[in-house]
Each structure stands twice: as structure tokens, then as C-alpha cells.
Amino acid sequence: MNSTRQLSALLAAGCLMAPGAHAESIQHEHEISLLGSYIVPDEDRTDDYGAAVRATYGARLDKYWWLEPTFFAGVIETGQDGLTDHYQQGLGVDLAYRIFGNASFSPFALAGVGLSRNDVASNSADELGGYGNVGLGLLSSPLTDSGLKFRAEVRYLYDSFDGGQSDVHLSAGITVPIGATRRQIVEKIQYVEKPVVIEKERVVELPDSDQDGVVDGVDQCPNTLQGLDVDAVGCVRTDQAQSVVLQGVSFEFGSDRLTANARDILQQAARALRGQPDLTVELAGHTDNRGSAEFNRRLSQQRAESVRSYLIELGIAPKRLIARGYGESMPIQDNSTEEGRERNRRVGFNVINE
């Protein structure tokens, strides 16, 4: 490695040192958006136009959903000399759904409610009221190393003021991420003695508790069972067929009663399912070929149901668990040996494809 070269000799010769660092992957959980808006007001307000500014704070709820408290303040032109313009403010909260999830570029839809205040000198109606809005928009990919993005949106806003007003807000601005979880940091130090450049890399390893290749600070689905492929944020991929054998899940001889050791192992499976609440799995029971095929099919079904019942006792929703018995029909080893028969007596944890 370059770091093992003669660094001390170069320093002694009067070299220049330039330290730096960069992040390999960053996942943001919070952000602030600042937007300018063009308002197309309700005809009952005016035939003219309006303008507003909007500030939104975004907090990630999961891969797709964001909670967005928002505030806006605007002026709606009357278009008539001598009349005071309409002043409007709103404070509310939206629930936004980002269609592409964690992708850097994503369209989104939102809906929300809030309080409104209208200040119209020529109208005696109550100033305070409520509003509801729905909207569509998009977020660009990051434009800078700091993660700054372009945001544009269109909202239909119904304001209860003066019997009900329907406005349209066309907005554009910037979104700035705040707070980041770093996946891995690579620090680089360059030692320069013209014309020689020596680069040293020091990798700071971060913890990965479930050993799925995604460090804890980024992992959104903790306690993943080993042997399953995951995506960039540590959640089991459901776009491909995959399964693991629940090693050590055994039963009392000739029955569907779980052993104490099997219950301990299934507690780890339950933690994995709690770590990814949208995951649905098939619990597949298998046997060796001793006994009739029908007996083995019934026994494997009963054992799969026993595993399902215990996971439900541990708090997993029944609709996420499908129990199926395959009997002796799908061996993975030769049934002519004791070792092979033992391997064939198993329970599989099969991911259901989306």
C-alpha cells in the first residue's frame, strides 16, 4: 500500500502536506426548503395575482414518507388603486410521499391541513380560519457536494376564509439537507515533493451489527438474517427470489412441538421481521423421505404452522407470515445417508417477491 512508502524521508526533504476527507455515502434524515410562490387566486378574491414565500421543514418517517411542517406568507394584489392588498399567512403540516423512495431524484405528492389568517381591509369576515391543500412536485438530484437540491411544486389550496376560497400556488426554490449519517469516511493525506505525490488512505470502519454490509448509522432495517441480500439502506430486497434455512429450528421426534433451542433461534427471526415491517415471508416446512409422502406433507405443514404461531406470539402480524408444508418433495441432500436426511429436515425463510 502507498502508505508504507518512505514518508519520513520525504518529510525530511521539505515536502508539503495537504490533508482532506470525503464521505463514501451520506443519507439525510432532515431538510429545510425555501420557496418562492406565484399565486393564482380565487375569482372571488381578485382577478389579479399574488406572490408568497414558503418555508418547509422535512423529517423522514421511512423510505417513502416525509412529515413536512410548513409556513407561508403572501400578498394578493387587488389590481385597484386605493384599495389595500390582501395579506395571507398559513401554518400547517403536510404528509409527503416520494415516489422513488431513497433515490436522489424523486417526484412526490403531498396533502395537508393548517391554520390560515387573512387580512383584508375591505372585508369584515373573520380573519382566522383553516385550510387544506394537495399538491404534486419534484426534487432534483443534488446540485452541490453539500446535497443542495432544486424543488418545484404546485398546490391546490382551499381556504375557509369568507365562505371558502380556492387558490393555486406555483412554487420553486431550494432544499438544503441538515444532519447526515455517514456510511464510511475515507481520509486522504497527500505528501508532495515535486514531482512525487504519495497518497495515504485511512479507512475508519464503522459498526455493522447484523453483518449485512450496511453500517448501523445507515441501516434502516436492523437485525437482518444473515444470508439475505439487502439494498443500500440495509433492507432485504424483495425484487428477487431469495431464502435462508433457519438453522437449528428443530422439533421433538415425530411431532410439531418446537424445541427450546428452536424457540431461541426464532426470536432472532422475529427481531429481523420487526426491523423491516413491510416484509412478508413464507415459512416452508420440509422433511426427509422416511414415512409415506402424505404423512410427511402433513407433518411439514404442521411444523410450518407451529413456527408461524410462535412468531405471532412474539408480536409479528399474522398477515406477514405464510406457512406451507412441502413434505419430502424438495430435498437438498441425498436421503440415503443420516447426514443427508438431517439436512432435509428443515424450515425455510422465503422472502415473498413484491
Side-chain angles (χ1 to χ4, degrees):
M1 206 178 157
N2 286 338
S3 60
T4 62
R5 298 186 181 182
Q6 301 293 330
L7 297 178
S8 59
L10 291 176
L11 288 171
C15 62
L16 299 176
M17 182 174 68
H22 72 276
E24 189 176 86
S25 176
I26 298 178
Q27 184 67 54
H28 300 291
E29 302 296 329
H30 307 275
E31 61 189 29
I32 293 177
S33 298
L34 301 175
L35 309 171
S37 302
Y38 179 87
I39 301 176
V40 182
D42 192 296
E43 292 181 354
D44 290 342
R45 291 188 191 271
T46 177
D47 293 331
D48 221 306
Y49 67 95
V53 293
R54 178 182 293 272
T56 297
Y57 173 80
R60 180 193 297 275
L61 300 179
D62 63 14
K63 181 178 179 181
Y64 297 99
W65 292 98
W66 287 71
L67 188 68
E68 297 188 344
T70 185
F71 169 78
F72 69 90
V75 179
I76 300 176
E77 302 288 341
T78 62
Q80 302 179 32
D81 294 337
L83 290 181
T84 304
D85 294 332
H86 299 183
Y87 296 94
Q88 182 188 41
Q89 300 90 40
L91 178 65
V93 63
D94 298 319
L95 191 62
Y97 180 84
R98 299 193 179 176
I99 297 173
F100 296 160
N102 291 323
S104 59
F105 167 84
S106 182
F108 62 87
L110 60 82
V113 295
L115 299 174
S116 64
R117 178 181 180 274
N118 289 266
D119 184 2
V120 183
S122 60
N123 193 317
S124 61
D126 291 340
E127 292 183 347
L128 292 178
Y131 77 86
N133 67 184
V134 294
L136 297 172
L138 61 84
L139 272 171
S140 74
S141 298
L143 304 177
T144 66
D145 290 341
S146 63
L148 183 143
K149 297 182 178 183
F150 172 75
R151 174 169 174 150
E153 59 184 45
V154 56
R155 296 173 183 248
Y156 167 80
L157 189 147
Y158 178 81
D159 190 342
S160 64
F161 173 69
D162 198 16
Q165 306 286 327
S166 298
D167 304 324
V168 176
H169 289 214
L170 306 171
S171 306
I174 60 171
T175 294
V176 181
I178 55 175
T181 301
R182 297 180 182 270
R183 179 177 180 181
Q184 187 181 62
I185 300 172
V186 179
E187 295 182 352
K188 293 188 175 181
I189 302 176
Q190 290 186 337
Y191 297 87
V192 181
E193 184 186 29
K194 295 182 180 180
V196 178
V197 176
I198 294 179
E199 185 177 85
K200 176 184 177 182
E201 292 190 356
R202 183 176 66 203
V203 178
V204 180
E205 294 293 339
L206 301 180
D208 178 14
S209 299
D210 56 6
Q211 299 181 13
D212 61 355
V214 179
V215 299
D216 294 349
V218 175
D219 199 337
Q220 296 181 13
C221 298
N223 302 311
T224 302
L225 290 179
Q226 292 189 26
L228 295 175
D229 291 335
V230 300
D231 58 19
V233 294
C235 295
V236 174
R237 296 182 59 180
T238 58
D239 58 351
Q240 62 187 33
Q242 57 173 321
S243 65
V244 293
V245 175
L246 296 176
Q247 299 288 353
V249 173
S250 56
F251 305 83
E252 295 181 6
F253 180 78
S255 78
D256 61 353
R257 189 187 301 275
L258 290 164
T259 64
N261 183 60
R263 290 174 178 270
D264 291 339
I265 294 170
L266 288 176
Q267 289 181 16
Q268 170 59 28
R271 286 193 291 270
L273 289 166
R274 284 194 291 267
Q276 189 168 345
D278 59 349
L279 187 64
T280 301
V281 299
E282 178 193 65
L283 303 167
H286 302 274
T287 68
D288 58 27
N289 67 347
R290 291 186 296 185
S292 70
E294 179 57 21
F295 171 81
N296 287 332
R297 187 198 64 77
R298 288 199 307 270
L299 179 60
S300 65
Q301 180 67 37
Q302 291 167 357
R303 288 178 170 178
E305 292 287 352
S306 181
V307 171
R308 180 177 184 270
S309 296
Y310 186 62
L311 289 174
I312 292 173
E313 289 179 19
L314 295 176
I316 306 305
K319 66 181 180 180
R320 300 176 57 198
L321 305 169
I322 300 172
R324 290 196 180 100
Y326 295 92
E328 62 186 65
S329 64
M330 301 175 66
I332 58 175
Q333 294 286 328
D334 189 347
N335 275 309
S336 64
T337 67
E338 179 57 37
E339 180 183 357
R341 290 191 294 271
E342 183 178 355
R343 292 288 301 279
N344 290 334
R345 297 190 296 269
R346 68 196 188 277
V347 175
F349 187 97
N350 303 334
V351 176
I352 301 298
N353 292 352
E354 290 181 341

